[in-house]
Amino acid sequence: MTNPSLLILPGDGIGPEVMTEVRKIIDWFGTKRGLAFDVSEDLVGGCAYDAHGTPLHDDTMARALEVDAVLLGAVGGPKYDDLDFSVKPERGLLRLRKEMDLFSNLRPAQCFDALADFSSLKKDVVAGLDIMIVRELTSGVYFGEPRGIFKEGNERVGINTQRYTESEIARVARSAFELAMRRGKKLCSMEKANVMESGILWREVVTEVGRDYPEVELSHMYADAGAMQLTRWPKQFDVIVTDNLFGDLLSDLAAMLTGSLGMLPSASLGAPGANGRPKALYEPVHGSAPDIAGQGKANPIACILSFAMALRYSFDQGDEAARVEAAVERVLADGLRTADLMGPEGGSPVSTTQMGDAIVAALDASL
Ligand code: NAD
């Protein structure tokens, strides 16, 4: 049997630094758990532009479509700010998302007990929080036509169009129900059916798809009420599914309940490929952090937790994903903190490498 395949795209800035730590974890699974991956590595973003004059080479794109999962670090940096829009580093990432047709964006908001004090909310509101926001990623108001700035009489008018087809809603709903089945079997769908026709259709289609998942308790909430409930008592939720625009806002809101950008993983999933697995791109939420790049200060946990998501959602290794998450919890409970996790009282932060090594040691201790 062949090993599962993984394409690693470290990218720019702190991307390669955090990915070096992820490679240690991947190697650990090969040597200690008999779970070896066929790993290839390539360029994306500014470094790909430097090498090939394009932020994503066609060969890299083709490889991304072949493998079981892609793991990306981050792209961008001030060096590339003045490039033409068509070759900016972010275009590499957007091309990956578009050609892999990644319509379902998973953003967990998980609060590690050791970091509960770090949240802007009260500790008992966030301690133990573990929710997942599923955001539709490839349609809705960011893509709908007509769009543009037009002249109307004596003034200009800016137009964007919220547009969803039934099939676009159904496929992201299905991916959210599938996720709910693997978790707490509770799904809350958020839209604005009170004021938007697209919201009425969203609610109808999610309800229809829900008939195939009788075990999942489905509820509906207006997205503005959802935002309030997320800050009031986020633990009432398990999985939330919502459209592109509301998901953009709600996933940022939910993620920051739990602390630093350096802790937040994400997954973007598409339709199943020839291997039966959904096309998948895993990446930390943060960018290339040029202000700390090359200084050994980056927190590698977001990228490591993104790999844990790959274990769970692409490779059916939920127990091993939980092992990685427990190792992260362990090192945090032991008081290890990268600079971004230091409170105002200060202390001595560990480096990117020290954090990665400590997580590997915690994995060793888990055996
Ligand atoms: P950023 O996420 O790179 O950084 C924001 C702040 O958070 C910075 O102070 C940074 O030091 C800190 N930070 C981010 N990740 C961290 C980590 N792992 N550990 C410790 N601290 C961390 O966002 P930005 O500064 O707005 O953007 C910088 C560059 O990254 C830009 O070129 C932007 O276009 C790009 N970007 C890329 C992605 C991506 O690749 N998905 C996402 C966002 C921004």
Side-chain angles (χ1 to χ4, degrees), residues 9-17 44-48 50 73-77 80 89 287-289 293:
L9 302 172
D12 307 315
I14 61 168
E17 296 171 52
V44 68
C47 58
D50 289 340
V75 298
Y80 307 104
S288 59

Side-chain angles (χ1 to χ4, degrees), residues 9 16 34 48 69 89 94 133 171 244 262:
L9 302 172
L94 293 177
I133 304 220
R171 66 182 186 171
N244 203 343

Side-chain angles (χ1 to χ4, degrees), residues 7-11 41-45 47-52 54-57 60:
L7 172 63
I8 293 193
L9 302 172
E41 190 167 315
D42 213 329
L43 305 174
V44 68
C47 58
Y49 175 80
D50 289 340
H52 306 300
T54 166
L56 189 72
H57 196 279
T60 317

Side-chain angles (χ1 to χ4, degrees), residues 105-119:
N105 182 226
L106 276 50
R107 291 268 302 265
Q110 193 175 6
C111 187
F112 292 95
D113 280 351
L115 295 183
D117 283 328
F118 215 75
S119 171

Side-chain angles (χ1 to χ4, degrees), residues 222-233:
Y222 298 138
D224 49 345
M228 280 198 276
Q229 291 300 329
L230 270 169
T231 41
R232 194 185 69 84
W233 191 242

